[in-house]
Amino acid sequence: EGATEAVAGLMPALAAMLDAGSHNRTGDMEDKGIEARRHLEATKAALTTSLHTRRAQAQLLERQQADVARRIASALALSETGGAQGHMVDIISGETIPLLIGCKMFDLASRAEVPILDVGTNPPGPLGGVALDPLLGAPVAINIGGRIRHGGTGEVVPITGVGRDPTTLRVVALSRVVPKPRLSADPLSELMRLL
């Protein structure tokens, strides 16, 4: 109650001060109003910029957290499987071993040890085998970069992969390299070769 009485006592003195400076009051009030508006607009712009910055930082943090979660899941899967594409039974030891690209396996069809070059899905299992080397004339383990004869042209081409023959399901060497046709000096002998 005492504070209210003190404020009420100051009101007449404040009114007198305002009346005494009435000729300057309008200009000063306008200047202060303009200054207050500028300050308010600057504060609003700063807060808006700060809000956008905080939102961008929050989105970046969310992406980083998702990336870390994905890496942790990948590391856990790698620790469980050892990076293996699957498992296979070793024909000699009878043990289940991880199926890793580049490791050796025993090929029953050729009775040779060959590298695993891919993993098949139908039927599932490792893909590796032997192919006839066109220069040696002997079966050799299929290796990426090795040599085979192109089925259409008979030219020697590099091996670029392996797959299964859909009819026999045997592993075969594949090449995506298509040899350029050679032009013969004698068209008649070329025609006779084709016939």
Side-chain angles (χ1 to χ4, degrees):
E1 288 180 20
T4 306
E5 290 174 9
V7 171
L10 289 174
M11 289 305 281
L14 183 59
M17 283 177 23
L18 289 174
D19 286 338
S22 64
H23 64 284
N24 287 336
R25 188 177 68 204
T26 307
D28 289 344
M29 294 292 275
E30 285 178 10
D31 289 346
K32 289 182 180 180
I34 291 171
E35 186 179 324
R37 268 192 232 110
R38 285 184 187 154
H39 181 68
L40 183 62
E41 288 173 8
T43 303
K44 182 179 173 184
L47 288 174
T48 302
T49 303
S50 177
L51 177 66
H52 289 300
T53 302
R54 297 288 186 224
R55 183 178 295 146
Q57 288 173 342
Q59 290 171 345
L60 177 64
L61 183 60
E62 286 176 2
R63 285 193 302 271
Q64 288 173 340
Q65 286 174 337
D67 184 47
V68 167
R70 191 172 39 254
R71 288 179 186 210
I72 289 172
S74 176
L76 288 174
L78 183 62
S79 71
E80 291 173 5
T81 65
Q85 300 283 336
H87 294 85
M88 68 178 197
V89 176
D90 185 20
I91 192 88
I92 296 170
S93 68
E95 294 181 29
T96 301
I97 58 174
L99 184 58
L100 299 169
I101 305 297
C103 288
K104 301 283 185 178
M105 71 171 202
F106 186 76
D107 181 37
L108 288 174
S110 64
R111 301 202 183 281
E113 190 175 56
V114 297
I116 298 171
L117 300 174
D118 203 354
V119 179
T121 56
N122 189 14
L127 296 179
V130 296
L132 186 64
D133 186 302
L135 301 179
L136 298 176
V140 295
I142 299 172
N143 282 302
I144 304 298
R147 301 173 295 257
I148 57 171
R149 287 216 180 268
H150 189 271
T153 64
E155 297 291 322
V156 176
V157 293
I159 297 171
T160 59
V162 291
R164 287 198 188 274
D165 182 329
T167 55
T168 63
L169 296 180
R170 291 194 58 179
V171 176
V172 293
L174 303 173
S175 180
R176 294 188 182 187
V177 177
V178 178
K180 295 179 183 175
R182 285 197 252 168
L183 297 175
S184 173
D186 183 18
L188 184 58
S189 62
E190 183 66 26
L191 181 61
M192 294 304 286
R193 187 184 71 80
L194 293 174
L195 295 176

